[in-house]
Amino acid sequence: MDVNLRLAQQPDADALLGRSPLAALVGMLLDQQVPMEWAFAGPYTIAERLGGDDLDAQEIAAYEPEAFAALLSAKPAVHRYPGSMAKRVQQLCQYLVEHFDGDAAAVWEDVGSGKELLKRLQDLPGFGKQKAQIFLALLGKQLGVRPTGWREAAGAYGEQGAYRSAADITGPESLAKVRAHKQELKAAKKAQKPL
């Protein structure tokens, strides 16, 4: 995997996301309750703090939990909730070590269908259906992972020309379109609530 992603909007962080399947998965895991760029810059920050230029699932899985939480909590924090997200990142890495020998790309390599890939992603700790569909769409749209039926399995996130999620961001302009879409959804939801 060596592609040009623009999710963190920071060249070094984006370069890591583009070459490291684990960094991309961890960025997706962190993408909740914080701005998307902050979430996807997280893997780079973690790698730097671990003293490397990539993430290693075996190393993170074996890291002492309190020390790993402290690593994510150091200023600037990797996430708004660094302690709970440190636990989730470790759970994800432990799962990858246990089921895929620590190789994040093995989650999607040699998968037979989009439906199977969606199930594998949903089996990952911290990945519900929506997060799994968004990551599936990212794999298909930007990383060239396109098993039969991937768009259907990704749901609305797999639609071509949509600006719904991280899967659709290729730079500042598309980021603005995704933000506008999310604001429209929020406004529509708010308008439906009774006073």
Side-chain angles (χ1 to χ4, degrees), residues 54-166:
D54 198 353
L55 299 179
D56 180 291
Q58 309 251 4
E59 177 186 10
I60 293 171
Y63 217 88
E64 198 282 313
E66 285 184 27
F68 193 68
L71 189 101
L72 271 66
S73 299
K75 302 284 184 216
V78 169
H79 194 275
R80 177 180 289 152
Y81 304 107
S84 62
M85 292 315 269
K87 184 177 180 180
R88 287 186 180 189
V89 170
Q90 282 196 290
Q91 288 170 338
L92 173 64
C93 289
Q94 288 160 355
Y95 183 89
L96 292 171
V97 168
E98 191 177 313
H99 296 274
F100 296 99
D101 200 28
D103 180 8
V107 173
W108 53 85
E109 287 174 346
D110 302 323
V111 75
S113 68
K115 189 176 178 180
E116 181 186 345
L117 179 51
L118 179 63
K119 184 191 178 321
R120 282 190 188 182
L121 291 169
Q122 283 185 263
D123 287 345
L124 296 173
F127 278 69
K129 184 175 181 181
Q130 183 180 31
K131 192 177 286 283
Q133 285 184 312
I134 292 169
F135 196 76
L136 178 73
L138 177 66
L139 287 170
K141 290 179 175 183
Q142 296 197 47
L143 302 174
V145 178
R146 299 180 180 119
T148 304
W150 73 270
R151 283 192 191 275
E152 294 77 10
Y157 300 106
E159 291 175 10
Q160 199 164 358
Y163 292 97
R164 286 189 170 84
S165 71

